Every structure is written in C-alpha cells, then in structure tokens.
Amino acid sequence: MATRLPVDGAGGTSVWSWDREAAVKRALKNADETGAAVDGGRFIWNFAFGSNINPDKMRSRGMQPVKTTRGALPDWSLLFNHKVEGFATMERVEKIESEKYDVSKLRPPDTVHGVLLLLS
C-alpha cells in the first residue's frame, strides 16, 4: 500500500497526495529486485501509461527519458479502482480473479499497453 499524505484541496476539501520519497524508495527497491535497473543502477526502466506518456507531463515531473519504446504487460489489467476519481491502477489478472473484483460491467483486457521509459 502506498504511503499517502492529506493535503488541503480547493474549498477546504480533503485531497490525497502521494509521498514521493516513499514511492521513489519502493520503485528503486523493486527495480533492484526485478532487474529493471541497468548499468549498475545508473538507469531504470519504467512502464508508463495514460498521462505518464505525455512528454510535457514527464518534463513537469523532472523526467527525461534516455530511450523510449512500446511495451505491453501481459496478464495485467488496467482498472479505475481508486476511491479518488481519475486515477488508474494496474492489477495482475490473477489477483482480479482470486480476490473476485467486480468487473461484471466491463471485463478489462488481459494486457496493458504503454511505453517503456529508460530513465537516469
């Protein structure tokens, strides 16, 4: 589960924001464990989808890919299962089936397509 911090939103509403430092630590640990780190950890492969493949959005987040290529994650599905509207997540098809997610209204495809970004 991601670490989240409460942030004041417009009109005093509660908005959730990701703890960037915790997310970076998890991502780097995962990269080391899965082989996504390249050249002794100097580079890391990142799978991006949605707005994260927009070059302007990447630059606004301080990301400048060294290389990009098309990618697909078989046996994963793209879901919109966050309580905060507008965010998508990916889940393994196996988890969707074992935890009996309600996908009766729209069965998501069993592959997520996106872009692989080599980041420094």
Side-chain angles (χ1 to χ4, degrees), residues 9-113:
T13 60
S14 178
V15 177
W16 289 96
S17 176
W18 295 104
D19 179 343
R20 184 176 177 89
E21 185 176 333
V24 168
K25 286 179 183 177
R26 282 192 311 278
L28 292 174
K29 181 178 184 279
N30 185 59
D32 288 339
E33 292 171 354
T34 63
V38 180
D39 193 17
R42 190 166 154 229
F43 300 99
I44 184 171
W45 282 105
N46 178 64
F47 183 82
F49 63 96
S51 67
N52 291 321
I53 64 174
N54 179 315
D56 292 333
K57 180 65 79 172
M58 287 188 292
R59 277 191 294 279
S60 76
R61 293 179 176 163
M63 299 186 321
Q64 182 63 41
V66 175
K67 183 177 181 179
T68 61
T69 188
R70 286 181 276 181
L73 294 175
D75 301 320
W76 285 77
S77 287
L78 180 64
L79 301 174
F80 292 86
N81 60 0
H82 274 264
K83 292 182 181 185
V84 178
E85 292 182 31
F87 291 98
T89 60
M90 295 183 302
E91 296 286 356
R92 288 188 181 274
V93 171
E94 175 184 290
K95 181 176 181 180
I96 293 169
E97 293 169 353
S98 70
E99 295 190 13
K100 298 180 177 38
Y101 284 24
D102 181 7
V103 291
S104 59
K105 293 181 183 177
L106 177 64
R107 175 66 185 159
D110 291 346
T111 300
V112 177
H113 295 269

